[in-house]
Amino acid sequence: MAKIAYILLCHKDPEGVIAQAQRLTAAGDFIAIHFDGNARREDYERIRKELDGNASVVFARRRVKCGWGAWSLVEATLGAVRAAVEAFPRATHFYMLSGDCMPIKSAEYARAFLEREDVDYIESFDFYNSDWIKTGIKEERLIYRHHFNERTQKAWFYRSMDWQKRLGLARKVPSDLVMQIGSQWWCLRRRTVEFVLSFIKKRRDVLRFFRRTWIPDETFFQTIVRHLVSESEIRTRPLTFLMFTDYGMPVSFYNDQYDLLLSQDYLFARKISPEAKELKARLGELYSATGRSFTISNEGRALFAFITGRGRIGRRFAPRFWETETSIGRERTLMMITCKKWHIAKRLVERIRSVNDTPAIHYLFNEGEANLPDLGGIESNLDKRTRHRRALVRMLFDYWKTERLIFCIDPASTDLMQDFYNDRAQVRLLEIECEFTDDYLIGHARRVGLAAEGSPQATIDRLMPTIRYDLRFESDRIREFDFPGFHRIRQSATVEENAQALAAFLDIPAKTAREIMGSEHLFVD
């Protein structure tokens, strides 16, 4: 049976550290604690006193003063790991935690999970070729010797790096290591940990190298484990659920996110807000639970991207168009049909094509399969179509030798609508206003990855108003642009009312518009 030794790095909240240690050891696991040497001594002594006598708790022999991005974080980790290896011979796995982590599964589930495969869980991506580093220096982390901390000694950090660059003092990475990078929150098997400790005892050159790298906690274990363990025995993922904002700050979780956390395919979550007392209490009770089953839906990151993206994409600012395309043509008429229910817009397009000769295309800039003719490659993927949108549309006019063209477009694509309205062509827009039932919205959430079949009902209930508002927002935004040649048909309107709007949009007789709108199946889901 798997027995877990948790490696806890912490620097504050002695009450939380004590509670974490008591919780994990009460369920039959072990814990090795490193309490930052910069933290108050009285807090450390309080933790020692409260946990004294607990045979499943051990402390690192020396308290290291830790600095963000510095070797001291790895040094502290190694100190706790060595203490755990020596104190807990029955431990089969060693799991890195911070003081902000909490379990989101039971101990019973965690042990069964680790027994499922004889592997290590550690992110380890190619340092040079992956995009794991989003901003800031990259190769400079390794090839220059970092004696100063960028957070606390910013001027000296960059001054030192600049001097080394000017003097040609770049150093080489140890030749037998393939540098890797990833999250510091790993879970390693006992033999892997022993391999690592034995390796660094023999290879003092590797230790010297990493001591002067920048942010080594993202490269040290990741590189050495990949060097020592077969790729088939490594799962390149952490078992701790964590997310970061666009500004590189970790996302905090609060009381109302209990069900969301439990449905993620992870064993722990980081980081739990200090104010989330109720969440901490519920997760604490969860770890010792038995017979508990978990439904994994794993929609957490998609939900976060959706909620935060609503504040950025097309709301605070619109995407900028850096290249100007050729005009579609002053004498040509471009007609866009927008509807969130794509199948309804497509159905209307097919009805128009059946009674009218105007070429019409489905969601040209929103779905890959649009049944386009061969236009020399510009039509091959969505990125190319969007990047060269005006040129593409002009080519379609030319291909069909027409002066009128219809295509469907998602209501969220207001940036594209604006761009086409800036052309010299005559542009019209028809919005199809639909009714959205709760069942449809749940299906929509699942289609776009915001929910899964197993998503908790509480998560769905909280999500529904946001999705409904988001759809309404898209419609309201289109109206705010006050596009000329704008028309609307509604699911709630009569056939006659909709026929009048369609006749004006297509510039066709009312009788023909009534024939098109006469289908009783147009708005059927």
Side-chain angles (χ1 to χ4, degrees):
M1 176 185 288
K3 297 283 287 184
I4 307 170
Y6 291 101
I7 309 301
L8 180 64
L9 296 193
C10 47
H11 64 281
K12 60 181 180 180
D13 188 17
E15 295 90 346
V17 173
I18 294 165
Q20 182 81 297
Q22 292 173 336
R23 177 187 311 118
L24 298 177
T25 57
D29 293 312
F30 310 109
I31 188 166
I33 300 172
H34 177 275
F35 197 70
D36 193 345
N38 290 311
R40 298 195 314 166
R41 182 168 184 80
E42 50 266 40
D43 287 344
Y44 175 67
E45 290 175 348
R46 179 181 171 190
I47 296 170
R48 293 290 303 244
K49 181 180 178 181
E50 288 289 335
L51 298 177
D52 185 39
N54 188 332
S56 296
V57 178
V58 70
F59 289 83
R61 291 181 179 176
R62 186 170 69 89
R63 292 176 63 200
V64 178
K65 293 184 177 181
C66 297
W68 189 93
W71 167 254
S72 52
L73 286 173
V74 179
E75 187 178 4
T77 303
L78 287 171
V81 166
R82 290 189 180 103
V85 169
E86 182 179 333
F88 310 127
R90 292 192 299 133
T92 60
H93 293 77
F94 295 79
Y95 193 127
M96 272 285 294
L97 290 178
S98 77
D100 295 322
C101 294
M102 287 290 291
I104 56 175
K105 299 292 186 295
S106 63
E108 182 181 71
Y109 180 98
R111 293 179 191 128
F113 183 97
L114 294 176
E115 289 170 1
R116 202 176 302 160
E117 287 188 285
D118 186 21
V119 296
D120 298 306
Y121 294 90
I122 181 168
E123 274 194 342
S124 49
F125 300 103
D126 185 280
F127 184 91
Y128 300 100
N129 298 320
S130 72
D131 63 348
W132 205 86
I133 299 174
K134 302 298 183 186
T135 60
I137 62 174
K138 187 171 183 176
E139 186 182 21
E140 293 87 347
R141 289 189 183 194
L142 306 177
I143 63 174
Y144 297 120
R145 298 164 181 83
H146 297 280
H147 300 272
F148 303 98
N149 192 297
E150 196 263 354
R151 289 286 181 92
T152 58
Q153 301 161 300
K154 197 179 190 75
W156 279 107
F157 178 89
Y158 288 103
R159 192 176 295 149
S160 168
M161 197 163 60
D162 184 56
W163 286 346
Q164 293 180 68
K165 189 180 300 184
R166 293 186 182 191
L167 295 171
L169 297 178
R171 58 181 182 162
K172 292 182 179 180
V173 174
S175 59
D176 59 333
L177 295 184
V178 178
M179 293 301 299
Q180 305 286 308
I181 191 165
S183 166
Q184 71 180 105
W185 310 111
W186 40 255
C187 178
L188 303 176
R189 295 168 295 174
R190 183 180 195 90
R191 70 171 177 268
T192 301
V193 168
E194 290 173 344
F195 286 163
V196 170
L197 294 178
S198 175
F199 176 81
I200 61 177
K201 186 180 290 186
K202 297 174 185 175
R203 294 291 302 272
R204 309 308 292 180
D205 61 314
V206 172
L207 272 184
R208 285 194 300 272
F209 173 79
F210 278 104
R211 281 181 185 277
R212 293 305 175 197
T213 59
W214 179 233
I215 320 184
D217 54 310
E218 294 179 351
T219 54
F220 178 79
F221 287 98
Q222 296 78 358
T223 300
I224 294 176
V225 169
R226 181 70 72 170
H227 181 72
L228 298 173
V229 178
S230 167
E231 184 175 358
S232 63
E233 296 182 27
I234 296 175
R235 297 294 174 265
T236 307
R237 56 157 294 188
L239 295 180
T240 297
F241 180 58
L242 66 160
M243 297 189 295
F244 290 91
T245 68
D246 286 350
Y247 303 101
M249 301 299 292
V251 174
S252 293
F253 299 104
Y254 296 90
N255 289 333
D256 61 348
Q257 293 172 311
Y258 177 80
D259 290 326
L260 172 70
L261 291 176
L262 264 58
S263 65
Q264 305 312 304
D265 189 20
Y266 296 86
L267 304 183
F268 279 73
R270 181 181 187 270
K271 61 188 211 172
I272 308 300
S273 170
E275 287 79 32
K277 307 287 188 187
E278 179 187 341
L279 178 60
K280 286 188 173 185
R282 296 179 72 185
L283 292 177
E285 293 172 4
L286 174 71
Y287 192 70
S288 58
T290 58
R292 180 69 184 267
S293 61
F294 297 87
T295 301
I296 305 300
S297 54
N298 231 23
E299 75 278 26
R301 286 191 172 84
L303 276 173
F304 180 74
F306 168 68
I307 296 298
T308 56
R310 291 170 65 249
R312 293 193 302 274
I313 302 169
R315 298 204 181 179
R316 294 190 206 142
F317 54 82
R320 295 165 172 80
F321 305 112
W322 299 113
E323 56 183 272
T324 56
E325 303 286 2
T326 182
S327 172
I328 294 169
R330 190 182 297 277
E331 303 304 321
R332 288 171 166 171
T333 301
L334 177 64
M335 293 172 280
M336 296 180 285
I337 297 177
T338 186
C339 181
K340 201 64 181 181
K341 292 186 177 181
W342 290 10
H343 60 284
I344 292 178
K346 292 177 180 180
R347 203 175 287 153
L348 178 62
V349 162
E350 295 306 319
R351 292 283 299 165
I352 293 171
R353 275 203 288 228
S354 69
V355 299
N356 189 287
D357 228 9
T358 304
I361 313 161
H362 291 165
Y363 282 81
L364 179 59
F365 300 103
N366 303 111
E367 61 179 346
E369 295 298 325
N371 296 320
L372 294 173
D374 184 355
L375 299 172
I378 191 174
E379 81 291 345
S380 59
N381 60 65
L382 286 174
D383 285 341
K384 280 189 178 181
R385 291 182 216 164
T386 305
R387 188 163 59 248
H388 306 290
R389 51 196 163 274
R390 293 198 201 180
L392 171 66
V393 171
R394 184 181 182 95
M395 291 170 76
L396 289 172
F397 273 101
D398 293 340
Y399 178 85
W400 279 304
K401 297 181 174 60
T402 183
E403 297 302 311
R404 292 160 57 87
L405 179 70
I406 300 171
F407 68 76
C408 302
I409 187 168
D410 191 87
S413 301
T414 51
D415 50 350
L416 297 183
M417 297 176 194
Q418 285 180 287
D419 193 49
F420 284 118
Y421 264 102
N422 288 332
D423 193 87
R424 292 195 295 271
Q426 300 177 42
V427 182
R428 301 175 191 171
L429 178 64
L430 175 71
E431 180 189 11
I432 305 176
E433 186 180 280
C434 300
E435 297 173 0
F436 299 101
T437 64
D438 286 351
D439 286 344
Y440 175 84
L441 293 179
I442 292 172
H444 173 72
R446 288 173 178 158
R447 284 190 293 275
V448 299
L450 299 178
E453 289 296 333
S455 293
Q457 188 58 45
T459 299
I460 297 291
D461 291 342
R462 286 195 296 270
L463 186 60
M464 292 287 283
T466 304
I467 296 177
R468 191 177 292 281
Y469 169 79
D470 214 57
L471 298 180
R472 186 168 63 247
F473 175 88
E474 291 176 356
S475 180
D476 290 344
R477 193 158 189 265
I478 289 172
R479 296 173 204 179
E480 288 171 3
F481 282 117
D482 197 22
F483 291 126
F486 173 74
H487 305 275
R488 184 185 305 114
I489 63 176
R490 299 181 176 88
Q491 184 172 351
S492 58
T494 64
V495 171
E496 184 61 34
E497 290 171 333
N498 286 336
Q500 290 179 14
L502 185 65
F505 171 70
L506 294 174
D507 194 18
I508 59 175
K511 180 181 178 181
T512 305
R514 279 192 293 272
E515 182 183 350
I516 294 170
M517 293 302 306
S519 171
E520 60 184 19
H521 303 296
L522 179 62
F523 291 100
V524 173
D525 286 333

